[in-house]
Amino acid sequence: MTSTPSWCIRAAMVSDCKTRIGAAFGAAAPRYEGDAGVHRHVAMRLLDFATGGTDTGARDPATVLEIGCGTGLLTRLIAQRWPNAAITATDIAPGMIATMREAGSPARLLVMDGERPDLGTERFDLILSSLAFQWFEDLPAALARLHGLLAPGGSLCFATMGAESFSDWRAAHAREGLVCGLRDYPDRDEVAAMAQALGQCDLAEELVPLPAPGGLALARHFHAIGARVPQPGYRRLAPTSLRRVMARFDADGGASNYHIIYGRLWHD
């Protein structure tokens, strides 16, 4: 029987899982940016991707919505790029929003599940999301909802995790006969199918290596940025099993990459 990928789950566990995700990222807020070098790189690439493509002559956006703002890495770049835009920044983690509020962010800040936006009749010229979509329970439905929030001529731009992310870490589990707790991420073709169902789209992808090699560094990275909620139903490994995986991972080179898929969708 084919299992349902974790990026497309419709189950009663959604509420509990989202609560745990919000709590994990909220707890990581005070130290998040010190361990978010990859996130900073991706935010900058996403902004460049959002301003490129087929409509480079388009006007600057007057209204921008950010999904999964975290501590504001991308929010600050948006404000620098479009200083006259009205920015609405949202995150599922109250701790992240509190950190941004304490820092004096000029954006309108909302605690909100970006997968199920509650913004009434508001429409936006540009919607941006960097490394948040991988936590959605039903990505195709979420894309459709967000696409529906675009003003005519607007665009939805995102960066999300691709299927090759941490492939060496997954392989180390498999070689030890163990199941990896990382979520399943879609590949480029799957993202393309979701996006093309909504109309015109552009896609790009890249591998972004983590600077510090080794299993211990990878585990610390996940913990530091709050990305430690496993796929639904996963039972964490016993310490002895985890040590086996880390030893295997290190013996195989200890290298790890984020596989990032960038997408841009338009509203006619």
Side-chain angles (χ1 to χ4, degrees):
M1 182 175 67
T2 302
S3 61
T4 302
S6 59
W7 45 265
C8 189
I9 293 174
R10 296 185 178 183
M13 68 183 69
V14 167
S15 178
D16 175 65
C17 191
K18 285 293 184 69
T19 299
R20 292 167 60 205
I21 291 169
F25 278 95
R31 61 183 181 276
Y32 184 83
E33 294 201 23
D35 293 274
V38 172
H39 290 63
R40 187 174 294 104
H41 166 87
V42 173
M44 294 174 68
R45 289 293 302 273
L46 175 62
L47 199 63
D48 289 340
F49 188 73
T51 54
T54 60
D55 63 343
T56 54
R59 62 180 175 82
D60 289 346
T63 54
V64 180
L65 171 65
E66 184 183 358
I67 301 297
C69 62
T71 54
L73 283 171
L74 178 58
T75 318
R76 294 191 293 273
L77 294 173
I78 295 170
Q80 292 168 12
R81 184 69 61 94
W82 297 294
N84 297 320
I87 304 169
T88 299
T90 71
D91 201 281
I92 197 173
M96 291 294 192
I97 293 296
T99 297
M100 288 190 66
R101 186 169 289 119
E102 291 168 5
S105 173
R108 176 176 64 149
L109 303 173
L110 299 175
V111 177
M112 188 185 80
D113 181 356
E115 184 171 0
R116 295 170 179 80
D118 183 15
L119 293 165
T121 60
E122 288 190 76
R123 295 296 179 266
F124 300 88
D125 297 323
L126 177 62
I127 300 176
L128 291 166
S129 182
S130 182
L131 296 180
F133 283 7
Q134 64 266 15
W135 299 105
F136 286 0
E137 312 294 356
D138 188 342
L139 183 52
L143 284 173
R145 293 188 191 103
L146 292 171
H147 188 264
L149 293 178
L150 291 173
S155 59
L156 164 62
C157 303
F158 61 87
T160 191
M161 305 278 277
E164 296 174 39
S165 295
F166 314 117
S167 58
D168 294 313
W169 181 246
R170 296 177 192 271
H173 282 74
R175 287 173 63 124
E176 292 298 318
L178 297 167
V179 176
C180 183
L182 292 177
R183 292 172 170 242
D184 298 320
Y185 307 128
D187 61 26
R188 179 175 177 146
D189 289 344
E190 290 168 325
V191 174
M194 299 177 208
Q196 289 166 359
L198 299 170
Q200 180 187 2
C201 71
D202 281 344
L203 292 176
E205 61 186 333
E206 68 171 336
L207 291 177
V208 183
L210 279 175
L216 183 58
L218 181 59
R220 286 174 172 168
H221 173 74
F222 288 148
H223 181 81
I225 65 169
R228 57 182 187 272
V229 179
Q231 60 179 304
Y234 180 75
R235 297 184 63 180
R236 295 185 183 277
L237 296 179
T240 53
S241 296
L242 181 58
R243 285 195 291 270
R244 282 169 46 203
V245 171
M246 293 175 74
R248 171 62 67 182
F249 180 71
D250 291 349
D252 290 342
S256 192
N257 296 291
Y258 279 75
H259 173 208
I260 307 298
I261 299 175
Y262 301 91
R264 186 177 191 188
L265 295 80
W266 283 267
H267 186 290
D268 296 332

